[in-house]
Amino acid sequence: MSGLRTARRPIESPVEAKKRVGRILAALNQSVPDVRVELDSSNRLELLVATILSAQCTDQRVNLVTPNLFARYRTAQDYASADPAELEALIRTTGFYKNKARHLIGCGQALVQHFHGMVPGTMEDLTSLPGVGRKTANVILGSSVGEPAIVVDTHVKRVANRLGLTRSQDPTKIEEDLQRLLPKAQWTVGAQRLLLHGRYVCLARTPKCAHCVLASDCGWEGKQKLL
């Protein structure tokens, strides 16, 4: 829990907050220039499948599984008519494979029945699919559809709290807080940079504060003992 405590910063005026967010985004732009989603995919359906598999699993592990999976299942209809046991065997190492297989089959069926086999491009339609919440939908919207979207995963949740960009632990509320603070044009890349910063620098248990480009704008109470 200590890694998720909200930073205790002095109360900022809207102008001060805007300036600090600008500095944070600029620093991340320099330190994390590549904002590519680290899930391998070649189309929107593959990205949807990979993102569903990434729940409670690393992107690296998903990327080991998906080549064989994508070679076997190429269309929404393929997933809709998949044999559960065969699909489960292919995705077993991603964890929670029975639930994930059920979601993938359900997604395929919903895509065939309601979207002509195509992955839709709106939040409402995406979140109507089995196993798809706001996080997964925002990955699709930001990285495939091209709509401004803020993905809130465990890394974004941790970094946003440590930086004092939110005081919430609820992903939807965090998304709303970041939407207010970040320029809309920066939603997708800004959130992805926060995610990658959390994955590689602002770690949960042993954050690399001494090497963090955001240290001067971070009020996290655990920072000082790591500098």
Side-chain angles (χ1 to χ4, degrees):
M1 291 298 294
S2 62
L4 290 177
R5 284 185 298 223
T6 302
R8 296 180 178 178
R9 296 189 61 84
I11 296 176
E12 295 176 304
S13 70
V15 172
E16 290 171 333
K18 186 175 182 179
K19 287 182 178 179
R20 187 166 70 93
V21 169
R23 291 194 301 270
I24 288 170
L25 292 175
L28 289 176
N29 182 51
Q30 292 295 317
S31 66
V32 192
D34 182 8
V35 292
R36 180 183 65 87
V37 172
E38 294 186 328
L39 291 168
D40 294 338
S41 65
S42 60
N43 56 56
R44 194 178 297 179
L45 177 61
E46 289 184 356
L47 181 59
L48 175 63
V49 170
T51 307
I52 290 173
L53 292 179
S54 71
Q56 305 298 314
C57 181
T58 66
D59 289 359
Q60 291 85 350
R61 169 56 58 183
V62 173
N63 289 339
L64 292 175
V65 167
T66 49
N68 288 335
L69 183 69
F70 294 160
R72 173 65 181 83
Y73 304 99
R74 298 179 180 275
T75 68
Q77 181 60 57
D78 290 339
Y79 287 99
S81 57
D83 174 69
E86 181 183 1
L87 181 54
E88 288 172 8
L90 283 171
I91 65 173
R92 181 181 295 269
T93 59
T94 67
F96 303 96
Y97 61 92
K98 288 186 178 294
N99 284 339
K100 290 177 181 179
R102 185 168 64 251
H103 289 154
L104 292 179
I105 292 171
C107 265
Q109 293 170 345
L111 292 175
V112 170
Q113 293 171 9
H114 304 297
F115 301 105
H116 308 288
M118 306 299 292
V119 178
T122 68
M123 175 63 74
E124 181 179 6
D125 287 342
L126 285 165
T127 53
S128 73
L129 301 173
V132 177
R134 290 191 65 88
K135 185 190 83 169
T136 298
N138 276 322
V139 172
I140 304 302
L141 292 174
S143 298
S144 179
V145 179
E147 291 290 333
I150 291 177
V151 174
V152 178
D153 72 344
T154 56
H155 301 299
V156 174
K157 177 180 179 179
R158 179 174 65 255
V159 174
N161 269 278
R162 285 177 175 174
L163 289 172
L165 303 180
T166 185
R167 293 184 179 277
S168 178
Q169 302 300 323
D170 176 72
T172 300
K173 181 63 168 62
I174 294 171
E175 181 184 342
E176 293 170 353
D177 288 341
L178 293 177
Q179 284 176 341
R180 284 193 292 269
L181 287 170
L182 274 61
K184 193 168 185 177
Q186 291 285 307
W187 284 5
T188 302
V189 295
Q192 181 64 7
R193 287 187 172 113
L194 289 173
L195 186 158
L196 294 172
H197 184 72
R199 181 173 289 170
Y200 296 110
V201 180
C202 193
L203 309 179
R205 294 186 179 180
T206 55
K208 303 174 183 178
C209 296
H211 306 285
C212 178
V213 298
L214 305 181
S216 62
D217 278 305
C218 177
W220 178 50
E221 61 186 20
K223 178 185 71 175
Q224 293 302 323
K225 63 184 178 182
L226 296 170
L227 291 176

